[in-house]
Amino acid sequence: MASYKSFAVVGAGMIGLPIINALAERNASVVLLSRPGSSTKAVPSAVEIVQVDYNDVTAVATVFKQFKVEVVLSTVNFAGIAAQKSLIDAAKIAAVKLFAPSEYGAPTDTQPAGASNPIGGIAPKNQIAKNQIAEYLKSVNLPSMRIFTGLFIEVIPWLVGYSDHGKVRIVGKGEAPASFTSVTDIAGFVAYVLTTLPPTELEDSIFRLEGERSSLNDLGGQFKTLVEHVDRIEGEAGEVKTGLLLLLGSGAGSTGWDEAKKAERSGTEAAGSANALWQGHRWKTIKEVLNL
Ligand SMILES: NC(=O)c1ccc[n+]([C@@H]2O[C@H](COP(=O)([O-])OP(=O)(O)OC[C@H]3O[C@@H](n4cnc5c(N)ncnc54)[C@H](OP(=O)(O)O)[C@@H]3O)[C@@H](O)[C@H]2O)c1
Ligand SMILES: *[C@@H]1O[C@H](CO)[C@@H](O)[C@H](O)[C@H]1NC(C)=O
C-alpha cells in the first residue's frame, strides 16, 4: 500500500510549526487547523490555513473531508490535550486513517490512568491526560501514532534556569538518564516516516526517539558550569519546572522507560529504537543544538 499524501496539523506552535514545514518540504499536502481568533501563523505558501473551533465536531469533520485528510497530527498544548476527543470524533466521521495525538515528550503509555502520582506539578497530569487520549483512540478503533521524544533539547536552558542565571539548577539527585531530542529532528522524523513508510508500519505505532542520552547532572559538564541541587524551583513556571525535573530525575524521561515496571525497555522498545527508521539521518547532539 502506498504511503500517505494528505495531512492535517492541528495547532502550529513549538512542535506543530516545524512539523508543517517538514511535511511541506517533502511536498505533502498539508492543511493547518487553527482556532478562530488565534495568532497568524507563518507557514509555507502551499499550506492552507482553516480556522475552526476544535470543539465543533461537525465543522472539524467537514474540513477533514474537504481536504481528503488521511492523517491528523494534533500538536495542541497542555490546555488542549483533553479537547482532542472532539478532534478524534471528527476524524472518525471523516474516515481519517491515522491520528497522531499530541505526545512529543516522555513516554505516557505506562502511566496508570487517573492514578495519583507522587511527583508534583503539571507534568504528570499532562502524562496521564495524554495516555487517556491514546486509550480513547483505541476505544473508537482509530489507529494511532505516538511519538515519544524525551525533553526537547531547545528547552533545556529554560528548564535548568541556565538562560536566567548561567547555572544548571535541578531538583533531586539528577542521576537517572533521560532522552533529549531536538525539535527539528523530531519534525523531520515525523515527516519522513509519514511520507515513506507503508501505513501498516504506522498504525498503532509507538516511536521512541532519542537524540542524546544524558543525566541532568551531566548537563553541568555540557554547559561547563556548576550543578546546583535545590528542593524546588522558585519563580515563573517554578511548579512546572520542579515537576519536570523530578520526572526526568526519576528515570521516566527516558523514551524507553516502563513506568509500570520502573525499568528500561529493551530491543525494539528501547530508548531511541525508532531513530534507525530515518535512514541515513544523523541525530543532533545537545552541544550542536545549543551551540555549547
Ligand atoms: N518534550 C518537551 O520538551 C516538550 C516541550 C514543549 C511541548 N511539548 C509537547 O508538545 C506538544 C505541543 O506543545 P507546544 O509547546 O508545541 O504547544 P504551543 O506552542 O504552546 O501551542 C500549540 C497549539 O496549541 C493550541 N492551543 C493553545 N491553547 C489551546 C486550548 N485551550 N485548546 C486547544 N488548543 C489550544 C494552539 O492552537 P491555535 O493555533 O489554534 O492557537 C497552539 O498553536 C504538547 O503535547 C507538549 O506537551 C514537549
Ligand atoms: C519536492 O518537489 C520538488 C519540486 O518538484 C523536488 O525538487 C523535490 O525533490 C521534492 N521533494 C521530495 C522529498 O519529494
PDB file of all heavy atoms in Angstrom, residues 157-167 169 233-236 241:
ATOM      1  N   PRO A 157      17.875  24.955  28.394  1.00  0.00           N
ATOM      2  CA  PRO A 157      18.330  26.174  29.097  1.00  0.00           C
ATOM      3  C   PRO A 157      17.232  26.804  29.958  1.00  0.00           C
ATOM      4  O   PRO A 157      17.500  27.304  31.047  1.00  0.00           O
ATOM      5  CB  PRO A 157      18.740  27.114  27.952  1.00  0.00           C
ATOM      6  CG  PRO A 157      19.060  26.193  26.813  1.00  0.00           C
ATOM      7  CD  PRO A 157      18.085  25.053  26.937  1.00  0.00           C
ATOM      8  N   TRP A 158      15.983  26.753  29.475  1.00  0.00           N
ATOM      9  CA  TRP A 158      14.836  27.269  30.244  1.00  0.00           C
ATOM     10  C   TRP A 158      14.604  26.396  31.474  1.00  0.00           C
ATOM     11  O   TRP A 158      14.472  26.904  32.594  1.00  0.00           O
ATOM     12  CB  TRP A 158      13.598  27.291  29.340  1.00  0.00           C
ATOM     13  CG  TRP A 158      12.303  27.495  30.059  1.00  0.00           C
ATOM     14  CD1 TRP A 158      11.765  28.691  30.451  1.00  0.00           C
ATOM     15  CD2 TRP A 158      11.381  26.484  30.478  1.00  0.00           C
ATOM     16  NE1 TRP A 158      10.562  28.475  31.095  1.00  0.00           N
ATOM     17  CE2 TRP A 158      10.299  27.131  31.126  1.00  0.00           C
ATOM     18  CE3 TRP A 158      11.348  25.079  30.368  1.00  0.00           C
ATOM     19  CZ2 TRP A 158       9.214  26.438  31.666  1.00  0.00           C
ATOM     20  CZ3 TRP A 158      10.274  24.391  30.902  1.00  0.00           C
ATOM     21  CH2 TRP A 158       9.223  25.067  31.540  1.00  0.00           C
ATOM     22  N   LEU A 159      14.593  25.080  31.258  1.00  0.00           N
ATOM     23  CA  LEU A 159      14.244  24.169  32.356  1.00  0.00           C
ATOM     24  C   LEU A 159      15.246  24.249  33.506  1.00  0.00           C
ATOM     25  O   LEU A 159      14.856  24.282  34.673  1.00  0.00           O
ATOM     26  CB  LEU A 159      14.146  22.725  31.849  1.00  0.00           C
ATOM     27  CG  LEU A 159      13.793  21.698  32.918  1.00  0.00           C
ATOM     28  CD1 LEU A 159      12.411  21.957  33.497  1.00  0.00           C
ATOM     29  CD2 LEU A 159      13.877  20.271  32.372  1.00  0.00           C
ATOM     30  N   VAL A 160      16.525  24.269  33.196  1.00  0.00           N
ATOM     31  CA  VAL A 160      17.535  24.263  34.272  1.00  0.00           C
ATOM     32  C   VAL A 160      17.915  25.669  34.702  1.00  0.00           C
ATOM     33  O   VAL A 160      18.777  25.855  35.568  1.00  0.00           O
ATOM     34  CB  VAL A 160      18.804  23.466  33.864  1.00  0.00           C
ATOM     35  CG1 VAL A 160      18.446  22.027  33.524  1.00  0.00           C
ATOM     36  CG2 VAL A 160      19.538  24.132  32.708  1.00  0.00           C
ATOM     37  N   GLY A 161      17.269  26.670  34.106  1.00  0.00           N
ATOM     38  CA  GLY A 161      17.497  28.052  34.518  1.00  0.00           C
ATOM     39  C   GLY A 161      18.771  28.659  33.970  1.00  0.00           C
ATOM     40  O   GLY A 161      19.130  29.787  34.338  1.00  0.00           O
ATOM     41  N   TYR A 162      19.458  27.959  33.055  1.00  0.00           N
ATOM     42  CA  TYR A 162      20.731  28.459  32.517  1.00  0.00           C
ATOM     43  C   TYR A 162      20.539  29.817  31.849  1.00  0.00           C
ATOM     44  O   TYR A 162      21.392  30.699  31.981  1.00  0.00           O
ATOM     45  CB  TYR A 162      21.316  27.447  31.517  1.00  0.00           C
ATOM     46  CG  TYR A 162      22.670  27.832  30.982  1.00  0.00           C
ATOM     47  CD1 TYR A 162      23.816  27.616  31.725  1.00  0.00           C
ATOM     48  CD2 TYR A 162      22.796  28.435  29.729  1.00  0.00           C
ATOM     49  CE1 TYR A 162      25.069  27.981  31.241  1.00  0.00           C
ATOM     50  CE2 TYR A 162      24.034  28.806  29.233  1.00  0.00           C
ATOM     51  CZ  TYR A 162      25.167  28.575  29.992  1.00  0.00           C
ATOM     52  OH  TYR A 162      26.391  28.947  29.514  1.00  0.00           O
ATOM     53  N   SER A 163      19.393  29.984  31.176  1.00  0.00           N
ATOM     54  CA  SER A 163      19.163  31.268  30.485  1.00  0.00           C
ATOM     55  C   SER A 163      18.973  32.411  31.483  1.00  0.00           C
ATOM     56  O   SER A 163      19.156  33.570  31.130  1.00  0.00           O
ATOM     57  CB  SER A 163      17.971  31.166  29.526  1.00  0.00           C
ATOM     58  OG  SER A 163      17.089  30.139  29.856  1.00  0.00           O
ATOM     59  N   ASP A 164      18.615  32.086  32.754  1.00  0.00           N
ATOM     60  CA  ASP A 164      18.436  33.132  33.780  1.00  0.00           C
ATOM     61  C   ASP A 164      19.717  33.421  34.555  1.00  0.00           C
ATOM     62  O   ASP A 164      20.085  34.566  34.775  1.00  0.00           O
ATOM     63  CB  ASP A 164      17.384  32.708  34.821  1.00  0.00           C
ATOM     64  CG  ASP A 164      16.002  32.616  34.220  1.00  0.00           C
ATOM     65  OD1 ASP A 164      15.762  33.323  33.219  1.00  0.00           O
ATOM     66  OD2 ASP A 164      15.188  31.835  34.741  1.00  0.00           O
ATOM     67  N   HIS A 165      20.373  32.337  35.021  1.00  0.00           N
ATOM     68  CA  HIS A 165      21.471  32.561  35.967  1.00  0.00           C
ATOM     69  C   HIS A 165      22.776  31.856  35.593  1.00  0.00           C
ATOM     70  O   HIS A 165      23.727  31.839  36.377  1.00  0.00           O
ATOM     71  CB  HIS A 165      21.046  32.151  37.390  1.00  0.00           C
ATOM     72  CG  HIS A 165      20.313  30.836  37.438  1.00  0.00           C
ATOM     73  ND1 HIS A 165      20.901  29.654  37.067  1.00  0.00           N
ATOM     74  CD2 HIS A 165      19.054  30.531  37.810  1.00  0.00           C
ATOM     75  CE1 HIS A 165      20.019  28.668  37.214  1.00  0.00           C
ATOM     76  NE2 HIS A 165      18.888  29.168  37.648  1.00  0.00           N
ATOM     77  N   GLY A 166      22.820  31.234  34.431  1.00  0.00           N
ATOM     78  CA  GLY A 166      24.079  30.655  33.958  1.00  0.00           C
ATOM     79  C   GLY A 166      24.520  29.397  34.683  1.00  0.00           C
ATOM     80  O   GLY A 166      25.653  28.941  34.499  1.00  0.00           O
ATOM     81  N   LYS A 167      23.628  28.848  35.505  1.00  0.00           N
ATOM     82  CA  LYS A 167      23.960  27.585  36.168  1.00  0.00           C
ATOM     83  C   LYS A 167      22.935  26.532  35.783  1.00  0.00           C
ATOM     84  O   LYS A 167      21.905  26.839  35.192  1.00  0.00           O
ATOM     85  CB  LYS A 167      23.945  27.764  37.689  1.00  0.00           C
ATOM     86  CG  LYS A 167      25.051  28.657  38.195  1.00  0.00           C
ATOM     87  CD  LYS A 167      25.008  28.694  39.721  1.00  0.00           C
ATOM     88  CE  LYS A 167      25.724  29.927  40.236  1.00  0.00           C
ATOM     89  NZ  LYS A 167      24.788  30.970  40.696  1.00  0.00           N
ATOM     90  N   ARG A 169      20.423  24.348  37.479  1.00  0.00           N
ATOM     91  CA  ARG A 169      19.760  24.178  38.780  1.00  0.00           C
ATOM     92  C   ARG A 169      18.714  23.074  38.659  1.00  0.00           C
ATOM     93  O   ARG A 169      17.810  23.177  37.846  1.00  0.00           O
ATOM     94  CB  ARG A 169      19.111  25.494  39.203  1.00  0.00           C
ATOM     95  CG  ARG A 169      18.610  25.494  40.636  1.00  0.00           C
ATOM     96  CD  ARG A 169      18.159  26.884  41.041  1.00  0.00           C
ATOM     97  NE  ARG A 169      19.256  27.818  41.210  1.00  0.00           N
ATOM     98  CZ  ARG A 169      19.121  29.155  41.205  1.00  0.00           C
ATOM     99  NH1 ARG A 169      17.934  29.706  41.018  1.00  0.00           N
ATOM    100  NH2 ARG A 169      20.172  29.926  41.384  1.00  0.00           N
ATOM    101  N   ILE A 233      12.027  24.590  42.381  1.00  0.00           N
ATOM    102  CA  ILE A 233      12.364  25.764  41.573  1.00  0.00           C
ATOM    103  C   ILE A 233      11.353  26.858  41.909  1.00  0.00           C
ATOM    104  O   ILE A 233      10.148  26.625  41.905  1.00  0.00           O
ATOM    105  CB  ILE A 233      12.307  25.435  40.059  1.00  0.00           C
ATOM    106  CG1 ILE A 233      13.236  24.256  39.720  1.00  0.00           C
ATOM    107  CG2 ILE A 233      12.643  26.668  39.226  1.00  0.00           C
ATOM    108  CD1 ILE A 233      14.715  24.497  39.947  1.00  0.00           C
ATOM    109  N   GLU A 234      11.895  28.030  42.222  1.00  0.00           N
ATOM    110  CA  GLU A 234      11.035  29.179  42.544  1.00  0.00           C
ATOM    111  C   GLU A 234      10.823  30.001  41.270  1.00  0.00           C
ATOM    112  O   GLU A 234      11.476  29.782  40.277  1.00  0.00           O
ATOM    113  CB  GLU A 234      11.711  30.070  43.597  1.00  0.00           C
ATOM    114  CG  GLU A 234      12.214  29.340  44.834  1.00  0.00           C
ATOM    115  CD  GLU A 234      11.110  28.969  45.819  1.00  0.00           C
ATOM    116  OE1 GLU A 234       9.939  29.362  45.562  1.00  0.00           O
ATOM    117  OE2 GLU A 234      11.406  28.275  46.806  1.00  0.00           O
ATOM    118  N   GLY A 235       9.905  30.953  41.375  1.00  0.00           N
ATOM    119  CA  GLY A 235       9.732  31.915  40.280  1.00  0.00           C
ATOM    120  C   GLY A 235       8.783  31.418  39.215  1.00  0.00           C
ATOM    121  O   GLY A 235       8.022  30.471  39.430  1.00  0.00           O
ATOM    122  N   GLU A 236       8.863  32.082  38.051  1.00  0.00           N
ATOM    123  CA  GLU A 236       7.906  31.809  36.983  1.00  0.00           C
ATOM    124  C   GLU A 236       7.982  30.347  36.536  1.00  0.00           C
ATOM    125  O   GLU A 236       9.064  29.816  36.302  1.00  0.00           O
ATOM    126  CB  GLU A 236       8.183  32.745  35.807  1.00  0.00           C
ATOM    127  CG  GLU A 236       6.967  32.977  34.952  1.00  0.00           C
ATOM    128  CD  GLU A 236       7.308  33.597  33.608  1.00  0.00           C
ATOM    129  OE1 GLU A 236       8.276  34.375  33.539  1.00  0.00           O
ATOM    130  OE2 GLU A 236       6.593  33.279  32.642  1.00  0.00           O
ATOM    131  N   LYS A 241       8.461  23.460  36.282  1.00  0.00           N
ATOM    132  CA  LYS A 241       9.865  23.060  36.183  1.00  0.00           C
ATOM    133  C   LYS A 241      10.210  22.009  37.231  1.00  0.00           C
ATOM    134  O   LYS A 241      10.891  21.025  36.935  1.00  0.00           O
ATOM    135  CB  LYS A 241      10.782  24.286  36.352  1.00  0.00           C
ATOM    136  CG  LYS A 241      10.742  25.248  35.188  1.00  0.00           C
ATOM    137  CD  LYS A 241      11.715  26.400  35.428  1.00  0.00           C
ATOM    138  CE  LYS A 241      11.639  27.422  34.316  1.00  0.00           C
ATOM    139  NZ  LYS A 241      12.510  28.573  34.563  1.00  0.00           N
TER     140      LYS A 241
END
